[in-house]
Amino acid sequence: PARHRSLYVAVRSSLDDLAPEALDDLAALATLRTTFDLAAAAAVTGRDADAVREVIAAMELRSLAHAPAAGRHRLFAAVREVALEHLDEARRAVVAARHAEHFARISARETRAVLDGDAKAGRDALRAVLDDLFAAAGGDPPLALQLTLLAGIDAALMGHGGSEALDALLARAVARAEREGDGTSLVRAKTLRGRGAYLRGRVSEACEDLT
């Protein structure tokens, strides 16, 4: 539609006015699917907390981003879509690796909380970044990292029924572990898939994986 083309042109024009370094930062931030904090912003841009705070403040001043809640930031949807076009293949790979590592750390920490400590707080924290967990796990990071991300997704969805997207990613992880001959990862993947299947009432599938 014409109004969408006009919006695209307006955003593209605004981004063209940015210095190359600022555009790089904006493109990195655009890989974050949900609202983000300074830690996530620093992770994907590769900057320290003070520098990334200035970057975000400048983006918000230019109306490219906003702060929907205290300590949380978000790019406007149109800005995010256009900014992602700036990432070439090499840069995209670097940012994707940073993104996966950051959210794997969150996943590991909050999954432990769900299983061993404050389950509600852990699940809430995981659900808040669920879109980023799915994106990171689906981007084919190193297998051990992928399984950590999938464990976080599984923990976030406990008690909320199944997820076809999670099932598909777990099937890919199992196949990948078998293909790479990685026995440790295969055990992790099948245990994770089998436990999830059991909790969701798919007992025969669970028995096959866990056996």
Side-chain angles (χ1 to χ4, degrees):
R3 60 191 176 87
H4 288 179
R5 292 197 299 272
S6 297
L7 177 60
Y8 177 89
V9 170
V11 174
R12 181 75 268 176
S13 176
S14 181
L15 267 56
D16 286 343
D17 290 338
L18 294 175
E21 189 176 56
L23 187 53
D24 281 346
D25 289 332
L26 184 67
L29 293 173
T31 63
L32 297 166
R33 273 72 172 175
T34 52
T35 62
F36 55 86
D37 58 13
L38 288 178
V44 296
T45 60
R47 294 183 173 275
D48 61 34
D50 290 335
V52 82
R53 187 180 289 109
E54 293 181 8
V55 167
I56 293 172
M59 299 300 175
E60 291 176 350
L61 188 63
R62 296 176 68 100
S63 298
L64 300 174
H66 63 119
R72 307 293 299 181
H73 309 274
R74 189 169 204 156
L75 299 186
F76 288 105
V79 172
R80 180 176 175 271
E81 289 183 21
V82 177
L84 283 172
E85 296 177 2
H86 177 70
L87 285 176
D88 61 25
E89 188 173 344
R91 174 73 171 162
R92 189 181 295 273
V94 170
V95 175
R98 292 172 177 168
H99 179 277
E101 288 167 4
H102 174 74
F103 286 99
R105 287 193 293 271
I106 293 175
S107 182
R109 182 183 69 232
E110 301 303 338
T111 300
R112 284 195 299 271
V114 169
L115 298 177
D116 302 326
D118 190 339
K120 183 181 185 306
R123 276 197 295 269
D124 287 347
L126 289 167
R127 288 171 190 158
V129 296
L130 193 56
D131 287 348
D132 279 295
L133 293 177
F134 266 115
D140 286 329
L143 185 52
L145 210 63
Q146 185 180 43
L147 289 169
T148 299
L149 291 160
L150 292 175
I153 295 170
D154 182 69
L157 296 177
M158 279 183 183
H160 284 257
S163 165
E164 291 183 3
L166 175 58
D167 290 344
L169 287 171
L170 283 169
R172 281 172 52 188
V174 168
R176 183 177 174 187
E178 290 174 336
R179 186 171 61 251
E180 296 178 6
D182 185 342
T184 299
S185 293
L186 183 58
V187 169
R188 286 186 66 195
K190 286 199 170 187
T191 300
L192 185 59
R193 186 170 69 173
R195 185 186 67 190
Y198 179 79
L199 291 174
R200 295 178 180 100
R202 303 201 306 263
V203 178
S204 60
E205 294 176 34
C207 286
E208 183 176 348
D209 272 337
L210 296 176
T211 299

